[in-house]
């Protein structure tokens, strides 16, 4: 019996630890050959010997289990490094079939205290990093499709966050980057469908090195799998990468702790038409002020209720 991803080649970014590591291991378990990306160089110990990078350690773990994997330690927020990452997958495995974008950083601060560098660095790693890899992967699939004269196999799984959905007050840079990733995903889903490529985005909740401060108040259980374990997220990534998800495209899914929640697209709540050639201040006041007065107090476009989702 063949495995769901047998014969496919995947890239997972930010895969040296946490979510990305769990996702890379899951894709390999399902049969994929994996390029494990994580930015960082090897360090030397007191004797002068160099240690393996996190990416190299995960790639070695996959190979030890009988899978195929190579490491890439470049920065996906660097356009050229992202190109080389996709090139590595094609060189090592003959093609690229699955791209999982996970790499990211946090620089939390309230908007009125945030520095320019704290803003730029988070937007660069998350949003530009997602774009860079998508740009070169999609070019690869487009070229293959043109050569084949029809659709090929391509899967993109991007990583957004509940911080975007719920509007995290202390993470304006992160929420903005994650919202941008959703826009990138839906645009890519429409642009690449004719080539056989799907693009979906997940909003995971997991205890990782990046989020250890965020979830510091949530204790790990004495027994059983931690509800915030990355292993709750990885199976959904494996599913979205598989042939079974061929008709799932442009979707946003929240996942954590033994549950997945499909988030519906925004819908128009109300529509008002001017009785003149153009709206005046008074006409807008007469229409919108009573409308918003009847809305629940504190309600915004953010969907804070997603934070209350749980298994069971």
């Amino acid at each position: 019996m063949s495995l769901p991803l047998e014969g496919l080649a995947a890239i997972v970014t930010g895969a040296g630890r946490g979510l990305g590591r769990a996702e890379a291991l899951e894709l390999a378990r399902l049969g994929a050959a994996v390029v494990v990306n994580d930015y960082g160089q090897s360090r030397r110990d007191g004797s002068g010997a160099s240690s393996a990078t996190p990416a190299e350690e995960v790639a070695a773990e996959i190979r030890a289990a009988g899978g195929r994997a190579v490491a890439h330690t470049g920065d996906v927020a660097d356009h050229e490094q992202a190109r080389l990452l996709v090139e590595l997958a094609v060189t090592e495995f003959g093609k690229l079939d699955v791209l999982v974008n996970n790499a990211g950083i946090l620089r939390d601060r309230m908007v009125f205290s945030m520095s320019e560098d704290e803003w730029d660095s988070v937007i660069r790693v998350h949003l530009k990093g997602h774009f860079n890899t998508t740009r070169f992967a999609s070019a690869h699939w487009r070229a293959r499709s043109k050569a084949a004269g029809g659709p090929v196999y391509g899967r993109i799984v991007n990583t957004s966050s509940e911080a975007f959905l719920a509007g995290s007050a202390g993470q304006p840079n992160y929420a903005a980057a994650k919202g941008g990733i959703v826009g990138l995903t839906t645009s890519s889903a429409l642009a690449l469908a004719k080539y056989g490529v799907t693009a979906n985005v997940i909003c995971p909740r997991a205890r990782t090195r990046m989020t250890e401060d965020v979830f510091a108040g949530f204790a790990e259980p004495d027994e059983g799998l931690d509800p915030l374990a990355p292993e709750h997220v990885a199976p959904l990534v494996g599913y979205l990468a598989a042939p079974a998800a061929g008709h799932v495209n442009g979707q946003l899914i929240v996942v954590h702790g033994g549950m997945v929640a499909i988030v519906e697209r925004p819908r128009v709540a109300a529509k008002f038409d001017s009785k003149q050639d153009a709206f005046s201040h008074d006409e807008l006041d007469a229409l919108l002020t009573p409308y918003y007065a009847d809305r629940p107090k504190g309600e915004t476009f953010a969907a804070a209720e997603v934070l209350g989702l749980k298994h069971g």
Side-chain angles (χ1 to χ4, degrees):
M1 182 177 177
S2 64
L3 296 169
L5 303 184
E6 190 170 322
L8 302 181
I11 289 171
V12 183
T13 72
R17 303 177 180 87
L19 268 177
R21 173 182 175 275
E23 292 163 353
L25 293 176
E26 176 69 3
L27 295 186
R29 189 186 70 80
L30 294 175
V34 183
V35 178
V36 180
N37 162 267
D38 201 271
Y39 182 49
Q41 303 302 315
S42 59
R43 291 190 291 264
R44 295 187 180 277
D45 60 22
S47 66
S50 61
S51 60
T53 66
E56 290 165 342
E57 290 174 350
V58 174
E61 188 176 353
I62 290 172
R63 292 193 297 268
R68 300 173 65 198
V70 295
H72 178 273
T73 57
D75 178 7
V76 293
D78 181 290
H79 203 61
E80 177 63 8
Q81 285 296 315
R83 184 187 70 79
L84 292 173
L85 172 60
V86 172
E87 186 177 281
L88 176 61
V90 176
T91 300
E92 287 289 327
F93 305 128
K95 58 176 180 171
L96 173 66
D97 302 289
V98 178
L99 170 63
V100 179
N101 283 310
N102 172 75
I105 61 172
L106 288 179
R107 298 290 185 271
D108 293 352
R109 202 172 300 278
M110 299 298 286
V111 69
F112 44 76
S113 303
M114 182 163 288
S115 71
E116 182 179 16
D117 181 67
E118 287 167 339
W119 174 270
D120 288 348
S121 60
V122 169
I123 298 296
R124 176 182 179 274
V125 175
H126 287 276
L127 185 52
K128 187 182 179 187
H130 272 62
F131 159 71
N132 284 344
T133 54
T134 299
R135 185 260 182 256
F136 293 110
S138 62
H140 168 71
W141 289 319
R142 181 174 180 267
R144 278 176 53 197
S145 177
K146 287 184 175 295
V152 295
Y153 191 102
R155 299 284 189 270
I156 299 172
V157 183
N158 287 333
T159 306
S160 182
S161 170
E162 293 169 300
F164 153 66
L165 290 173
S168 180
Q171 298 178 304
N173 47 2
Y174 184 66
K178 291 306 192 182
I181 287 168
V182 174
L184 171 65
T185 304
T186 54
S187 174
S188 300
L190 292 174
L192 302 177
K194 65 181 178 181
Y195 303 119
V197 179
T198 66
N200 294 287
V201 60
I202 64 171
C203 291
R205 190 187 301 180
R207 194 192 309 275
T208 67
R209 189 179 66 160
M210 191 179 83
T211 63
E212 59 186 356
D213 291 337
V214 176
F215 296 123
F218 296 83
E220 295 187 44
D222 294 331
E223 56 183 43
L225 186 61
D226 182 0
L228 292 172
E231 286 74 17
H232 288 295
V233 176
L236 175 62
V237 173
Y239 166 74
L240 292 173
H247 295 295
V248 183
N249 194 28
Q251 301 299 310
L252 189 154
I253 304 175
V254 176
V255 53
H256 58 81
M259 58 132 273
V260 296
I262 298 169
V263 179
E264 192 172 40
R265 65 179 178 83
R267 297 185 180 275
V268 177
K271 176 179 176 289
F272 301 98
D273 295 308
S274 175
K275 295 181 180 179
Q276 309 166 74
D277 290 339
F279 276 113
S280 66
H281 171 83
D282 289 343
E283 189 178 18
L284 286 171
D285 182 18
L287 291 170
L288 299 185
T289 300
Y291 173 79
Y292 281 109
D294 290 337
R295 303 295 295 175
K297 186 177 180 180
E299 179 188 74
T300 71
F301 188 75
E305 63 270 19
V306 299
L307 299 179
L309 295 173
K310 60 183 180 179
H311 178 255

